[in-house]
Amino acid sequence: MSYENLAGRTAVVTGAASGIGEAVAVTLAAQGARVALLARRAERLEAGVEKIRADGGQALAVAADVTDDASVAAAVERIHEAYGTVDLVVNNAGVMLPNPIEAARVDEWQRMIDTNVTGVLRVTGAFAEDLTEAAAQGRSADLVNVSSIAAHLTGFPGFAVYGATKAAVTHLSAMLRDEFGPRDVRVTNIEPGVTETEIVSHLADGMQEQVGGMMEAFGALAAGELADVVAYVTSRPRHVNLRQIMVLPTRQV
């Protein structure tokens, strides 16, 4: 599918080594955007960049950890040197480490908070000036945060802390519109339902079975289908902001 208004854009996608992030980077590049792929796994990033370049797109691999100030600062400097001002940021990096609350896995709670919440804040703050500058120049400027339907739904034992971090992202996105909207920067919060991603393979056995059961019952979204949503919302005329989108398999209620 082809979208107008993405050619010539400069995008940053976090969590771009696999899954939704990689699919978003590939999709935006296919529409003519220059894309900086950010993640910790350098080898996986390079593979994504090679794929984009083989298809004629422009891409840059930037190994970075969104939980580290210095790492993000270095990434921003490298992207500015290569591409200049960024006008499209996709906060996709996230971790899902479900466990019963009585397990008291403070290490896992902290990792999810650091990545899913503080990481989003850190990247948003790092590129806020870029986005407002691009908008002031009359260009489209977008901040897209990938949250989760877990921000709203209950009925998933063990996912309380993960859901809480995603609820924070959803609320943050709404509040950021108060700051960015009057300056013509669009903020979009996307909440996927059950999705086929690598993140599921990182779960403990019991939790893998739980998520696998949901996939069997509901079906699952493909990463490329979420990427298509990102491309759609960021390619609308610059005065149109699709602020909140839930994307679910049809059978997930």
Side-chain angles (χ1 to χ4, degrees), residues 54-105:
D55 291 335
Q58 299 182 69
L60 177 70
V62 183
D65 182 351
V66 299
T67 70
D68 182 83
D69 287 336
S71 182
V72 171
V76 172
E77 183 176 355
R78 185 175 178 201
I79 293 165
H80 284 166
E81 288 176 353
Y83 288 160
T85 303
V86 170
D87 58 38
L88 200 169
V89 175
V90 181
N91 278 311
N92 170 73
V95 292
M96 182 171 67
L97 303 169
N99 260 313
I101 202 71
E102 62 265 25
R105 290 297 303 271

Side-chain angles (χ1 to χ4, degrees), residues 223-240:
E225 291 165 339
L226 271 301
D228 187 58
V229 173
V230 173
Y232 179 80
V233 301
T234 56
S235 63
R236 298 306 86 202
R238 68 189 297 265
H239 69 285
V240 177

Side-chain angles (χ1 to χ4, degrees), residues 24-224:
V24 168
V26 169
T27 299
L28 295 178
Q31 299 301 318
R34 302 184 298 180
V35 185
L37 289 74
L38 268 67
R40 292 177 298 171
R41 295 177 292 176
E43 291 184 4
R44 292 292 297 268
L45 287 178
E46 290 293 350
V49 167
E50 288 178 9
K51 178 179 180 180
I52 290 171
R53 290 175 177 170
D55 291 335
Q58 299 182 69
L60 177 70
V62 183
D65 182 351
V66 299
T67 70
D68 182 83
D69 287 336
S71 182
V72 171
V76 172
E77 183 176 355
R78 185 175 178 201
I79 293 165
H80 284 166
E81 288 176 353
Y83 288 160
T85 303
V86 170
D87 58 38
L88 200 169
V89 175
V90 181
N91 278 311
N92 170 73
V95 292
M96 182 171 67
L97 303 169
N99 260 313
I101 202 71
E102 62 265 25
R105 290 297 303 271
V106 178
D107 58 331
E108 293 181 347
W109 301 344
Q110 194 62 57
R111 185 178 170 197
M112 285 188 282
I113 293 168
D114 289 347
T115 304
N116 300 357
V117 182
T118 312
V120 169
L121 288 166
R122 185 173 282 111
V123 172
T124 301
F127 290 104
E129 187 175 344
D130 282 34
L131 293 173
T132 55
E133 180 181 331
Q137 294 171 355
R139 296 152 53 193
S140 294
D142 289 277
L143 173 67
V144 179
N145 293 330
V146 179
S147 179
S148 170
I149 194 62
H152 303 284
L153 296 187
T154 58
F156 303 107
F159 286 79
V161 179
Y162 173 75
T165 65
K166 289 303 185 177
V169 172
T170 291
H171 192 64
L172 173 66
S173 300
M175 299 298 289
L176 284 176
R177 290 197 75 252
D178 292 339
E179 297 187 37
F180 283 126
R183 290 182 284 176
D184 295 319
V185 176
R186 302 183 291 199
V187 180
T188 298
N189 187 67
I190 297 177
E191 298 178 334
V194 177
T195 306
E196 294 178 355
T197 70
E198 185 185 77
I199 199 170
V200 177
S201 66
H202 299 161
L203 302 180
D205 289 343
M207 290 300 176
Q208 281 195 31
E209 291 174 4
Q210 182 178 343
V211 175
M214 287 190 287
M215 287 184 171
E216 186 175 344
F218 304 144
L221 303 170

